[in-house]
Amino acid sequence: MSVKTTCPYCGVGCGVVATTDAAGVVSIEGDRQHPANFGRLCSKGSALAETIDLEGRLLAPQIGGVPVTWDAALDHVAAGFGRIIREHGPDAVAFYVSGQLLTEDYYVVNKLAKGFVGTANIDTNSRLCMSSSVAGHKRAFGSDTVPGCYEDLEQADLLVLVGSNAAWCHPILHQRMLAAKEKNPACRIVVIDPRRTATCEGADLHLPLRSGSDAVLFNGLLAFLAGSGAVDHTFVDGCTTGAAAALEQVAGQTAADTAATCGLTEGAVTLFFDWFARTERIVTLYSQGINQSTSGTDKVNAIINCHLLTGRIGRPGMGPFSLTGQPNAMGGREVGGLANQLAAHMELDRPDHRDLVQRFWRAPVIAQQAGLKAVEMFDAIADGRIKAVWIMSTNPVVSLPDADRARAALDACELVVVSDCMHSTDTTRHADVLLPALAWGEKDGTVTNSERRMSRQRAFLPAPGEARADWRIICDVARRMGYAGFDYAGVADIFREHAALSGFENDGARDFDISALATIDDRAYHALAPVQWPVTPEYPTGTARMFETPSFFTPDRKARFVAVAPRPPRHATSRAHPLVLNTGRVRDQWHTMTRTGKTARLLAHVFEPYAEFHPDDARLAGLKPDALARLTSPWGEMIARVVVTAEQRRGCVFVPMHWNEAFAGEGRVNALVNPATDPVSGQPESKHTPVVAAPYSPKWHAFILSRSEIKRPDGGYWVHGKAGQCWRLELAGDARPESWRDWAQAQLGLADTEIEWLAYRDPTAGRFRYAAVRDGRLEGCVFIAPDHALVSRAWLISLFAEDQLPASARMSLLAGRPLGNGEDIGAIVCSCFSVGRNQIASEIRKGATSVDAIGRCLKAGTNCGACRPEIAKLLTAASLQPREAVTS
């Protein structure tokens, strides 16, 4: 049986086909008919079938860590929230939800909070990734409207990516851009990012600007456009307001001034400005590098200003485009998922909108003012203003800035309820009540992607244990609290109500309208094909592009320029904290790894948290490649593996945000991140925290591979996860055991007499190797050394696929390197096909000269394409040295 559904990862919204065979085994492939991806999936989407097992799942309600019945759990939550509301008022409770929720789940929890409890203290982890874009859209367009569609990326002659490593974070869209560029020789790509990321490999120009200077760059562009004859006066005069003030703000700013402030060469800045001025079809794509800033909203408007001045919006191949991070951040915005919104893109600060929503819901009350945004909410939990919080489908103890404070806030809170599909996360450990929710593949509803396209997420797995849909859990609690209006027969009922509200008394002054879907029956809902809103009686098949008329959603129907006065980041570097910490994602992981961390394939490319330094900064800090560094900010600290590369800008350090206490000791980077937020959007500044780095020099390093899961240490540096057909643990420490052999046996838990032990000992050098073999099969191995350069993990991991170790492998284990016919494939480059760096280097030595040639030989780069930039870098490096010198 095959079921069409939607990927649960980023905001691209790829279609997925899940097929279950007669034995119950699920296989995954891309949906070739889905207009977001046309059958392609990234490494994460391709590995979805490896993440749907029940390992680690929360399968029954718990109170105080003890399993209870659903009735007991729901009664406890309803009574606890009800009592606190009666004693302290509705603003003493809060809901912290997620872009992982489906739109129907999002809708009912917002209805409960704002229309029945009467509080707007409901916010979402989407606040952390796209709220600056929301605020910028609303200031410019009068509504949170994404103007364009994915087809625009293929029709543009200039693609400008700002603060977006799309090659890793939105790989399917990035591959669409590169394919379009190949078909259109006139198309250029510009990447604006302090780092030289994988996205730069396909670019014509990279502008490694100074961290935080984006608004200066686009203000400079605005001034250049005004002085170079690129202004669309008809559009500006007839369709916009505020141009004079915006231009006055940038008057006199030259390309030279811009380059100096941004830390760029004047030639590169002038080239970019000239391309932008001379090219009609331009799409500017931006993501977290713009949004995650204390001036993120201004940066968004600085970008939009340039498109308004040239009239390049609402037409094919042009416009500003926000690349959304989560699978349903857009759907959450549609139902009012942010603390300062109402449902259906209505405004909480407008009395007429509050009245309209209250009447539609037949609600006893309606929230009268904006609630607390994410960071403010956890501040209020910490100081006792909020006494009960319900967290749904998110992990704030890992993802919020100043994460240790968030953890302490939950410990101090009177009632913490967490709905999640996983039993043990950094957040669930601090819950009073745990409610088991359905996961992807089990739940049913809709999501909306970055181009306003609504798609169905359909169930193809049975509900495990006692897990329930989020919407049902919310409605069960609402009814127990005495509220009417939550007696839905199924998820289609909720969708119909959501659609009806979007058209209720909507005379065209509101952008979000899917009222044509308000009367569909259950069968039509189940079969709903991907469609872009608005979906109205006038446009029943959806709307690809907005503002084509052009008419905006401001009172005068004109777009607004915003005069942007650039501001520096809230916290500057200093002698004590001289480096700028920039956080982000890696290619094969997602958020806090609760799903992607379950599969060895996705851990193979990057196993450990790392910190990426420019060579000059590494030298000044005394850091060596592959060693460990301790990073410290005024808010916290962490330990990470050192990567030294000239692709990092001087004065900056990049650290991925994924690792947490389930996978690593002292690896939570958000413990360091400052909690400063944008004054308009409330989005935290995750891209600019002052830190200092110093060597972390333990007395010994070790790694352990085992067929059985390895116990995590209680402290110190460690990283734990799956690897091939075994488990892997990297660790380091200072205290030495009396016997390394006894320690190794204890770590593997294999002290029985049936085990054959192979051992290599060099006490003088501090190097020890132990391998445990049972019936000729490798069961585990432990390697210890005074430094991290032990041996290749990839080669050793491959030995666990062998049923019988050949004699050469036994000798290799003692030698610490492959002997005879043993192959070390090297560090994984292509996760889709498990292709290593050494294999690629071998094909280059044999004469492969292109990424496509490598693909023909090894398949690397032929699935999702996310590894193609890395393969291209290996080819470039090889071309700069004699062929015989090309090695791993």
Side-chain angles (χ1 to χ4, degrees):
M1 179 185 70
S2 294
V3 174
K4 289 190 173 185
T5 184
T6 309
C7 181
Y9 292 122
C10 76
V12 174
C14 294
V16 172
V17 178
T19 302
T20 307
D21 67 15
V25 177
V26 174
S27 61
I28 294 293
E29 63 179 350
D31 181 354
R32 291 176 174 81
Q33 296 178 323
H34 198 290
N37 61 314
F38 298 107
R40 300 195 76 161
L41 293 176
C42 73
S43 58
K44 296 183 290 292
S46 298
L48 276 166
E50 300 163 29
T51 69
I52 57 177
D53 60 78
L54 300 185
E55 179 186 349
R57 287 290 299 274
L58 176 63
L59 298 175
Q62 295 183 7
I63 299 176
V66 178
V68 297
T69 65
W70 265 111
D71 282 341
L74 295 169
D75 287 345
H76 187 88
V77 174
F81 269 69
R83 177 185 59 78
I84 289 170
I85 291 166
R86 288 192 303 274
E87 294 177 1
H88 303 282
D91 288 336
V93 303
F95 302 82
Y96 188 65
V97 296
S98 166
Q100 302 290 300
L101 291 176
L102 303 184
T103 299
E104 293 80 359
D105 306 322
Y106 246 134
Y107 179 86
V108 293
V109 70
N110 272 277
K111 180 178 178 179
L112 170 62
K114 289 170 180 161
F116 289 80
V117 172
T119 182
N121 284 344
I122 173 167
D123 212 48
T124 166
N125 62 6
S126 299
R127 177 73 61 187
L128 312 181
C129 72
M130 37 49 65
S131 55
S132 291
S133 187
V134 172
H137 286 162
K138 289 167 71 172
R139 291 205 301 190
F141 310 140
S143 60
D144 176 20
T145 308
V146 174
C149 58
Y150 293 163
E151 289 180 357
D152 289 331
L153 312 185
E154 297 163 328
Q155 296 171 350
D157 293 320
L158 180 61
L159 294 167
V160 182
L161 290 103
V162 195
S164 167
N165 185 11
W168 277 19
C169 301
H170 299 93
I172 299 304
L173 272 190
H174 185 245
Q175 288 302 310
R176 285 183 69 167
M177 296 179 217
L178 294 182
K181 186 177 189 302
E182 188 172 348
K183 292 177 182 177
N184 176 14
C187 180
R188 296 187 179 104
I189 296 177
V190 176
V191 175
I192 301 171
D193 195 305
R195 293 193 299 147
R196 183 175 178 84
T197 65
T199 306
C200 297
E201 293 305 313
D204 298 280
L205 178 65
H206 173 219
L207 298 178
L209 80 177
R210 182 172 288 118
S211 176
S213 65
D214 310 81
V216 175
L217 180 66
F218 280 90
N219 270 5
L221 174 59
L222 190 71
F224 183 89
L225 295 170
S228 61
V231 179
D232 184 336
H233 291 285
T234 301
F235 179 85
V236 171
D237 295 343
C239 304
T240 73
T241 62
L247 292 174
E248 183 180 358
Q249 177 66 47
V250 303
Q253 182 174 334
T254 66
D257 299 332
T258 303
T261 303
C262 296
L264 300 168
T265 67
E266 182 179 352
V269 169
T270 301
L271 181 61
F272 167 54
F273 286 0
D274 187 63
W275 284 356
F276 200 106
R278 293 174 178 271
T279 308
E280 179 71 4
R281 292 176 179 254
I282 302 172
V283 178
T284 305
L285 302 107
Y286 62 92
S287 195
Q288 313 310 354
I290 290 293
N291 293 330
Q292 291 177 331
S293 166
T294 49
S295 57
T297 306
D298 283 347
K299 293 176 182 178
V300 170
N301 285 114
I303 292 170
I304 293 174
N305 283 347
C306 296
H307 281 270
L308 294 179
L309 192 71
T310 54
R312 294 167 185 162
I313 189 169
R315 291 182 285 154
M318 60 186 75
F321 201 113
S322 167
L323 291 176
T324 309
Q326 294 195 84
N328 203 30
M330 290 282 284
R333 288 145 70 171
E334 294 158 13
V335 301
L338 296 168
N340 53 320
Q341 292 180 324
L342 278 175
H345 279 198
M346 284 183 269
E347 300 297 331
L348 196 54
D349 60 1
R350 285 186 53 171
D352 59 327
H353 283 184
R354 294 198 302 270
D355 173 70
L356 187 155
V357 174
Q358 185 174 5
R359 284 188 288 109
F360 181 87
W361 279 343
R362 300 179 182 177
V365 293
I366 195 75
Q368 295 295 302
Q369 60 187 14
L372 297 173
K373 302 179 178 79
V375 174
E376 299 170 332
M377 179 183 290
F378 277 78
D379 287 344
I381 295 170
D383 65 27
R385 284 175 288 153
I386 290 176
K387 302 179 184 302
V389 62
W390 188 348
I391 299 167
M392 300 180 189
S393 194
T394 186
N395 198 1
V397 172
V398 180
S399 57
L400 279 173
D402 196 8
D404 288 344
R405 177 171 167 79
R407 177 169 58 190
L410 294 184
D411 285 338
C413 189
E414 186 174 330
L415 176 60
V416 177
V417 180
V418 178
S419 300
D420 209 302
C421 59
M422 300 303 294
H423 179 267
S424 182
T425 71
D426 290 47
T427 298
T428 59
R429 295 185 198 115
H430 302 273
D432 301 296
V433 182
L434 289 176
L435 303 175
L438 297 179
W440 181 82
E442 301 155 4
K443 57 186 180 179
D444 189 45
T446 57
V447 294
T448 306
N449 73 358
S450 292
E451 62 167 350
R452 294 174 283 102
R453 189 178 299 279
M454 298 180 296
S455 298
R456 291 277 282 110
Q457 221 179 77
R458 297 180 176 93
F460 56 88
L461 296 170
E466 298 179 52
R468 293 182 179 179
D470 288 287
W471 69 264
R472 181 183 171 191
I473 300 170
I474 296 159
C475 291
D476 286 344
V477 170
R479 287 195 299 270
R480 279 169 166 79
M481 294 178 72
Y483 300 134
F486 294 88
D487 53 351
Y488 305 103
V491 69
D493 278 356
I494 303 170
F495 181 83
R496 284 187 286 266
E497 182 176 307
H498 165 53
L501 175 56
S502 75
F504 184 59
E505 298 182 11
N506 189 351
D507 59 1
R510 305 197 307 266
D511 67 331
F512 180 70
D513 188 344
I514 57 170
S515 55
L517 302 173
T519 57
I520 61 173
D521 60 19
D522 286 6
R523 180 177 295 181
Y525 173 78
H526 180 74
L528 185 65
V531 61
Q532 289 170 280
W533 62 258
V535 188
T536 64
E538 185 180 3
Y539 298 102
T541 59
T543 310
R545 194 172 290 106
M546 301 292 282
F547 309 138
E548 287 183 302
T549 10
S551 177
F552 298 87
F553 294 95
T554 56
D556 61 5
R557 293 294 192 168
K558 294 183 177 183
R560 302 187 188 104
F561 282 85
V562 176
V564 172
R567 291 177 284 113
R570 188 77 53 83
H571 297 283
T573 55
S574 64
R575 182 173 295 179
H577 298 94
L579 299 172
V580 172
L581 170 65
N582 169 21
T583 66
R585 297 178 180 172
V586 297
R587 191 187 76 191
D588 294 347
Q589 291 303 325
W590 173 252
H591 280 202
T592 62
M593 302 172 65
T594 49
R595 181 184 288 113
T596 49
K598 296 180 74 171
T599 168
R601 184 173 12 155
L602 297 181
L603 286 167
H605 183 242
V606 178
F607 187 78
E608 295 180 86
Y610 65 88
E612 190 177 270
F613 296 88
H614 187 275
D616 292 349
D617 295 321
R619 185 174 61 254
L620 288 171
L623 302 174
K624 296 180 179 180
D626 292 327
L628 293 171
R630 184 181 296 278
L631 280 74
T632 306
S633 80
W635 298 272
E637 62 180 27
M638 71 169 297
I639 298 172
R641 188 70 59 191
V642 173
V643 173
V644 179
T645 172
E647 296 181 342
Q648 176 61 269
R649 184 181 174 88
R650 288 183 182 86
C652 295
V653 54
F654 173 81
V655 180
M657 52 78 70
H658 309 286
W659 278 266
N660 55 79
E661 291 180 351
F663 294 91
E666 302 191 56
R668 291 161 56 247
V669 69
N670 279 315
L672 285 72
V673 173
N674 78 86
T677 59
D678 182 294
V680 180
S681 69
Q683 184 155 354
E685 187 148 58
S686 299
K687 301 295 186 182
H688 197 286
T689 295
V691 298
V692 63
Y696 170 62
S697 304
K699 291 185 171 60
W700 56 266
H701 298 254
F703 75 87
I704 303 169
L705 303 176
S706 174
R707 292 190 184 276
S708 302
E709 185 169 1
I710 311 161
K711 184 179 182 298
R712 298 165 177 82
D714 294 328
Y717 178 81
W718 57 269
V719 184
H720 174 276
K722 294 179 179 178
Q725 296 183 29
C726 63
W727 290 85
R728 175 179 172 185
L729 177 67
E730 300 279 341
L731 66 167
D734 291 316
R736 293 187 177 93
E738 291 185 10
S739 165
W740 281 114
R741 180 188 177 97
D742 292 346
W743 182 83
Q745 290 181 340
Q747 296 298 311
L748 293 175
L750 295 173
D752 58 86
T753 55
E754 297 179 1
I755 294 296
E756 175 191 357
W757 286 93
L758 308 178
Y760 167 88
R761 294 182 292 273
D762 184 350
T764 303
R767 298 185 182 276
F768 303 86
R769 302 175 193 137
Y770 301 96
V773 180
R774 178 189 285 130
D775 297 329
R777 191 174 79 152
L778 181 63
E779 293 293 327
C781 59
V782 180
F783 281 58
I784 304 139
D787 52 48
H788 177 65
L790 299 163
V791 295
S792 166
R793 278 64 160 170
W795 156 68
L796 283 167
I797 290 166
S798 71
L799 297 181
F800 286 84
E802 304 286 344
D803 288 330
Q804 291 287 313
L805 281 178
S808 61
R810 289 170 174 262
M811 295 300 296
S812 297
L813 282 164
L814 298 179
R817 65 183 188 278
L819 302 174
N821 294 324
E823 181 188 14
D824 179 9
I825 67 172
I828 292 295
V829 173
C830 174
S831 299
C832 296
F833 296 108
S834 298
V835 179
R837 183 180 295 256
N838 292 353
Q839 293 171 294
I840 295 170
S842 175
E843 294 302 325
I844 294 173
R845 287 194 298 271
K846 293 175 185 176
T849 58
S850 68
V851 175
D852 288 338
I854 296 294
R856 287 191 293 271
C857 298
L858 300 172
K859 297 179 112 178
T862 62
N863 183 39
C864 73
C867 65
R868 290 175 70 87
E870 194 167 346
I871 297 171
K873 285 170 64 176
L874 292 174
L875 286 160
T876 300
S879 70
L880 299 177
Q881 55 186 304
R883 182 170 300 278
E884 61 270 15
V886 179
T887 67
S888 62

